[in-house]
Structure formats: C-alpha cells, structure tokens
Amino acid sequence: MSSASIPSPFCPLLILHFLALYLGRDSTHSPPAVNHRPLPTCGNPPSVPFPTEAPVSRPLKMTLEAQSAAIAARFDYTDEQVNSAVNEFRRQMTEGLEKDGTSLSQIPTYVTGVPNGTEKGLYMAVDLGGTNFRVCSIQLNGDTTFNLTFSKVAIPRDLMVAKTAQELFAFLAKQIELFLQTHHEDHFEQHVRRRMTMSSPDGYKDEHVFRLGFTFSFPVQQVGINKGTLIRWTKGFDIPDAIGKDVCALLQDEIDKLHLPVKVAALVNDTVGTLMARSYSSPGKTGTVLGAIFGTGTNGAYVEKLSNLKKPLSGEYDKTTGEMVINTEWGSFDNQLSVLPNTEWDVALDKASPNPGIQMYEKRVSGMFLGEILRLVTIDLLKDPKVSFFKDENSSSNDWKSTTNIVSDSSIYTQWGLDTAIMSVAAADNTPELSTLRGELEKQLGIYSAGLDDAQAFKAIANAIGRRSARLSAVAIAAIVLQTGKLTDPANADEPVDIGVDGSLVEHYPYFRDMIYEALSAIDGIGEEGAKRIRIGIAKDGSGVGAALIALVAAGMEKRLTTADYLGELRSNAKSNNLTVVPEDEAARD
Ligand code: BGC
C-alpha cells in the first residue's frame, strides 16, 4: 500500500495521532497547531518511512500526579545500576586497602578481634557523632548482657562551628563531669577524697580511674587504640582548628582541667562500636562481619584479613588473629560520581553544603540529607507555574474545601528546614486521606490545608528518595558481604552472615530493611538465597557498648591491679614516703 492510500478508520497509529493533537490543546482551548505533514497511514510495508518526529503541539500541562510520578522516576536506581555500583565499591575497597588518600579511606582501627559475649567490667563511653552528645556507663555482665546508664544532650549549633576545638571539647568534658556527679557520685567522691588523702603528685592510682571509650564518628586517621587525628569534619560540623589534631588528647586535656578520674582509653568510630556491640550481644559461630550506621550520617566497619591490608601501619597491634577491623568511611564512596546517581537536586544540595564534592554517597543515603533533597524538589515544584503544588485556585479544588496556605516563615524555604523524619511519616501513612501526613505538614512546615493530591505527590517523591537511599545502602552491604567471602565459605555454610546496624533511618524509616533485602536479592553473587542468609539486626546503643568493649580491650593492654593489689601498693608507697593512708572503705564513708 502506498502513502496515498486511504487510512482505515481503526488504524491505531492514526488514532494515536489524533489523540496527540487533541491532548496538545491547553486549557485556553486554542486550536491545535496544524501539522502539515501528510497523515501517517497504516500498511505494510510503507514505501517511505513513517515520520519519527513528534507532531508540533503546545506543551502539555501535566497533572500533579503525573508530574510527581515523573520526578519519582528520576530517583529510580535499577538492579543493573545497583550491580555495577557493587563492582565499583569493591574496586574502591581494594584501592583503599592499598594506599592512603583514596575515595574510600579504609582506615585501619588497630582493633584485631571481636568480642564473644563473656567480657565483664564497668566502663564509660562518650559518643560524639551528630546532633547529640551521649555519656554512658556500661556494666558488661559477661553473659552477653549489659546494663547501660546514659545521659544525652543536644550539641549547641554554635559549638559545631566553634572557632577553636577547645570550646567544643571543654563542653564535652563538662558533660562527663555532670554525668559522674549524677550517676556515679560515690565513685566520683571517692576519687576526689583519694586525691585529698594522698599528697603524691598523681593524687590517686591510675588503676582506679574510669576507662573511657571515646566514640568519635568522623573520619580520623587512627595511629593507635587511643590516638587519632581528625581528617575532616562531616554532618554539619566545621571547626577547622581541629583538623590534624589528636582528638583523644583534646578530650583528655579538658578532662584533666576538671580533675576528673577518667582516662580516654580507646578511640572508636560508631561503626566499629556497632560491630563490637553486635558481636557481644549475638555471638554466632563466626561473629558479626559488619557494623553499619544509617542515621544522620552513614558508614560501615568490617573485619578484614590482615593479608589484604597492604598499606603501611604505623602503630602497634596484635597480629595473632590475622584480622583487623577496618573503618571504611563509605560516606565518601565514589566522590567522583562514576556510578552514583546525580539528579539536579543532588547537585544543588552538594553545591550548598559545607563540604562540596565529598561524602557524595552519604549525601544520597543518610538522614541528614534526604530531607534536604526532598525540600529542594518541593521548592522547585512550588516555583513552577505549570504545576499546582500546595496551591489551590479556590476552596473547590481542595478536598477539605479550604485553600492551602504556606506560612511566609515556613522552614521549607530554609536550607535543612525539612526534617527527614517527615519522610517516615509519609511512608507510614496509609490512611485514605493521608491525614497524619497532612497534619505533620502543618505542624512541621506550616503548610495549612494541603490537599489530598498535594500530600500524595509529596509522599510519592519522598518515598522515591527513601527507596533510592535503601537501594544504595544495599550496595555497600553487598560489597562487604562479598568481600568477606562468607556466603561461599564451606566452614560457614549453615551460618547466617551477621550484620549489626544502628541509626534513625534503619530504625525508624518504614520498610528500609525490606527495601535493602529486595535490592540484595537482585545482586550477582548474592541472589535470593544469599539474601536470606544475610541477617541484618539492630545493635541499639551500639556505639556506647562497643566503645566500652574497646576500652576494655585497651585496659587489658595496660597493667591491671586488683583492689587488694592497689591497697597493698598504696600502703608500701605510703610507708616509704611517710604518708598517711586512709583505707578505701573509710575514705568512701566520710
Ligand atoms: C562519618 C563517619 C560516621 C558516620 C555515621 C559519617 O559522616 O564520616 O565517621 O561513622 O557519619 O555516624
């Protein structure tokens, strides 16, 4: 049939052509633009090719639903992309084990074993990692259980960007003092008394000082179990004066100024703490292989074979286990963006962040940033005159028969003004009217009487950002599981591959772990069967308990004396120095 043939009235191509012309009309009902090309005809085979260009028409006015679906699709991260990211992650892991200064830092921690649950003792831990500073004391009971007492204080924003490191660390030491006075008054008083009853220069015996594990959740170049210099700040902290300094010494100096009976015994990243805590609480035949945080920031620490660690180590460590815990600092995976997704909103977020070009993986995964991505998308939609998002022409277009209003000082207009927590509300709200989410939009962002369509659009975009984060999280988990070889190791055949996680995202974002599992089962070398063997469990308070466990290991490296030894030694010292010794129980009494 030639191009001049009469088209059949049911020819699907022709119907599509008219439909396109019809849809091309905008709401002012102007006539469709005329297309002077000959009408396409159906037939086989055409003697001349069909036109491949779309007919000229006016731009479509997309509905909010279609617009939000299109934006959500921009956050898709396909199985294929996930797989190539896993390969790249593994490549960058190897690179980081071989040399310094790589994207994935792969920092050796000098921790050469994981606990088995039998450890005992009373330790202290402090945790500086994001929004809060936590001080805790942990009684390890030696039977995989522990008792934890803690206090938590929000870190004032001005201290996160203080002029000197000393300002921040003085604040931290003060919190330790308050904690001791509140929760360990006896111990605290006893030590003050000891200092007063002995006139030796030290004042009291080192062995009776609390060993403190310092969880410091920023990239640190560790050179020993209680020594490490800050490489860079992340998560909104920015105190340039601290870069390159030993953070343990900074804290110890301020503790000493307050004469507290506390020794910073171990420096721990929160991921290492999580790994330790999980290993302590749920020891399996092979122990936990990965500790990961999906919270304000994200990172993971895993157990690596010493033989794979090729870059030189400066500090002392125990070589007998043949393993060492590595802090990957995976927040900086693929800073060069060879496999990470990069929407215009990711670009905008990075540009306006305090650390452009770094922590690129973290900026797509962790809690601090997801809300900001959603905020940037929301602002773009609000500015788009073609889209009716959080605006009503009049009350008839709003299902609550009101008009949507955004207060002029809404935090939606400010950087970091959208708390990621609202994404959890969006994901969890399955009520027909999305009334919980709409209530939250009002409470948190001053968006009054949002319509159902607005809330649905907001939810669809938020869910897409959350889902992308979970799928990206699966990339890091999968790469490390594959690296450990545990899934194929015959010695581990019937054992689960245990992973400890902590952080607000993995704990509170609905279905986060399910979405990780879904992605894991699509990864080569894991698949559905492998995914079933990967056990991802929450290690609550991991960083505190883990830091205490490492402080225990560190204390074991020092000379340890029992109370009897202590008193004996004290008496003999006193005799030789002609001092008066008040017995311990007496000192405690008065
Ligand atoms: C830091 C890591 C930390 C992670 C989770 C990241 O920003 O660089 O050291 O482990 O946040 O707190």
Side-chain angles (χ1 to χ4, degrees):
M1 216 189 268
S2 79
S3 60
S5 315
I6 310 288
S8 146
F10 295 110
C11 169
L13 203 63
L14 198 58
I15 294 168
L16 280 177
H17 181 78
F18 282 117
L19 200 62
L21 283 174
Y22 173 76
L23 285 174
R25 283 189 300 173
D26 70 9
S27 52
T28 56
H29 300 286
S30 40
V34 182
N35 179 358
H36 293 293
R37 268 194 293 265
L39 289 180
T41 55
C42 289
N44 64 90
S47 54
V48 288
F50 285 120
T52 50
E53 281 167 41
V56 178
S57 63
R58 289 174 187 276
L60 281 177
K61 185 162 183 175
M62 260 191 174
T63 62
L64 182 54
E65 189 186 352
Q67 180 81 4
S68 56
I71 291 180
R74 305 273 305 280
F75 290 95
D76 281 349
Y77 200 57
T78 63
D79 289 350
E80 204 185 340
Q81 288 170 309
V82 167
N83 272 291
S84 60
V86 173
N87 292 337
E88 179 59 15
F89 199 103
R90 292 196 67 187
R91 192 194 66 74
Q92 293 192 19
M93 279 178 83
T94 310
E95 184 182 54
L97 291 173
E98 286 169 358
K99 52 182 188 227
D100 284 326
T102 52
S103 194
L104 261 185
S105 302
Q106 298 282 67
I107 301 171
T109 63
Y110 296 86
V111 176
T112 52
V114 293
N116 61 13
T118 59
E119 295 76 7
K120 278 187 184 170
L122 176 65
Y123 293 88
M124 271 192 88
V126 292
D127 185 352
L128 178 74
T131 9
N132 297 307
F133 181 61
R134 295 203 329 154
V135 186
C136 27
S137 58
I138 298 113
Q139 179 70 52
L140 300 167
N141 300 325
D143 57 359
T144 79
T145 70
F146 58 84
N147 298 75
L148 180 120
T149 310
F150 79 91
S151 71
K152 182 164 102 173
V153 53
I155 301 164
R157 274 211 85 83
D158 53 332
L159 283 184
M160 295 182 178
V161 291
K163 284 222 160 46
T164 62
Q166 192 260 332
E167 288 169 62
L168 174 68
F169 285 84
F171 170 83
L172 306 186
K174 189 77 201 151
Q175 304 311 312
I176 298 175
E177 181 180 53
L178 290 173
F179 179 85
L180 285 175
Q181 283 166 348
T182 315
H183 298 288
H184 293 277
E185 203 185 347
D186 288 358
H187 196 92
F188 185 69
E189 289 300 322
Q190 240 180 67
H191 281 287
V192 173
R193 201 153 299 283
R194 277 204 182 99
R195 289 177 60 92
M196 285 171 2
T197 50
M198 279 197 62
S199 40
S200 80
D202 292 343
Y204 54 93
K205 291 299 290 186
D206 191 48
E207 286 75 15
H208 283 248
V209 166
F210 267 122
R211 269 13 186 206
L212 177 133
F214 181 17
T215 302
F216 184 75
S217 307
F218 299 93
V220 161
Q221 192 60 54
Q222 207 150 346
V223 286
I225 201 133
N226 69 347
K227 205 171 165 56
T229 53
L230 178 62
I231 302 174
R232 61 176 179 273
W233 289 107
T234 58
K235 297 176 284 198
F237 278 70
D238 191 15
I239 311 172
D241 169 54
I243 310 282
K245 291 196 176 144
D246 175 9
V247 292
C248 286
L250 285 172
L251 182 60
Q252 188 70 60
D253 284 353
E254 298 307 316
I255 287 175
D256 291 347
K257 282 185 198 160
L258 299 176
H259 308 292
L260 304 179
V262 174
K263 173 172 176 178
V264 183
L267 177 63
V268 188
N269 185 267
D270 51 356
T271 54
V272 182
T274 302
L275 173 62
M276 294 287 132
R278 174 83 185 172
S279 270
Y280 177 80
S281 311
S282 53
K285 202 166 95 192
T286 52
T288 302
V289 296
L290 166 68
I293 301 284
F294 299 101
T296 310
T298 184
N299 187 17
Y302 73 106
V303 186
E304 180 59 275
K305 291 181 198 68
L306 274 175
S307 55
N308 288 339
L309 184 55
K310 302 275 170 21
K311 58 186 172 189
L313 295 184
S314 47
E316 283 302 303
Y317 60 97
D318 170 14
K319 299 188 180 61
T320 55
T321 62
E323 294 177 333
M324 184 176 283
V325 175
I326 299 290
N327 168 14
T328 63
E329 283 298 335
W330 72 36
S332 259
F333 163 58
D334 198 28
N335 281 344
Q336 51 282 35
L337 298 181
S338 55
V339 290
L340 286 178
N342 200 27
T343 67
E344 67 217 67
W345 304 288
D346 296 305
V347 174
L349 178 145
D350 180 51
K351 210 167 143 207
S353 73
N355 52 358
I358 53 174
Q359 300 294 105
M360 297 306 242
Y361 176 77
E362 180 167 80
K363 283 174 180 160
R364 284 146 182 80
V365 169
S366 79
M368 171 156 178
F369 302 98
L370 300 187
E372 181 63 6
I373 301 177
L374 178 59
R375 192 189 72 83
L376 291 169
V377 178
T378 306
I379 293 291
D380 270 4
L381 281 176
L382 287 176
K383 282 199 226 142
D384 188 344
K386 295 198 295 302
V387 183
S388 169
F389 190 41
F390 294 127
K391 358 177 157 81
D392 301 302
E393 263 159 34
N394 56 54
S395 59
S396 73
S397 49
N398 181 302
D399 64 314
W400 279 352
K401 298 293 170 245
S402 182
T403 53
T404 310
N405 265 297
I406 307 183
V407 293
S408 58
D409 62 349
S410 166
S411 60
I412 193 93
Y413 300 119
T414 327
Q415 189 189 25
W416 313 120
L418 193 152
D419 188 338
T420 304
I422 203 169
M423 293 175 59
S424 298
V425 176
D429 188 355
N430 289 319
T431 59
E433 293 196 345
L434 296 182
S435 36
T436 318
L437 174 60
R438 288 156 87 177
E440 217 50 37
L441 286 167
E442 194 167 306
K443 205 162 88 197
Q444 288 191 25
L445 298 169
I447 303 179
Y448 288 90
S449 304
L452 176 60
D453 54 345
D454 296 323
Q456 282 167 332
F458 186 87
K459 177 174 161 130
I461 298 166
N463 284 359
I465 296 170
R467 187 174 155 76
R468 188 185 73 166
S469 156
R471 293 176 69 78
L472 283 169
S473 305
V475 167
I477 294 176
I480 287 176
V481 167
L482 292 171
Q483 172 86 357
T484 64
K486 292 278 184 213
L487 281 176
T488 45
D489 180 357
N492 195 48
D494 304 321
E495 286 283 302
V497 179
D498 193 61
I499 292 173
V501 290
D502 197 4
S504 46
L505 208 52
V506 68
E507 212 188 329
H508 302 301
Y509 190 88
Y511 315 115
F512 198 77
R513 265 186 288 176
D514 304 73
M515 292 188 287
I516 291 180
Y517 275 116
E518 185 197 42
L520 285 176
S521 51
I523 291 172
D524 301 339
I526 295 185
E528 283 184 20
E529 285 313 304
K532 279 189 206 142
R533 285 184 53 210
I534 299 177
R535 185 174 67 190
I536 304 177
I538 298 277
K540 192 78 200 111
D541 297 318
S543 46
V545 180
L549 282 157
I550 298 174
L552 176 148
V553 174
M557 290 175 177
E558 301 169 16
K559 190 175 163 225
R560 275 150 103 192
L561 296 172
T562 62
T563 306
D565 294 333
Y566 163 67
L567 278 175
E569 191 171 296
L570 199 61
R571 287 203 178 91
S572 67
N573 283 348
K575 232 186 239 161
S576 57
N577 293 327
N578 218 5
L579 296 172
T580 315
V581 177
V582 180
E584 193 178 22
D585 49 349
E586 234 174 77
R589 263 201 313 271
D590 48 33

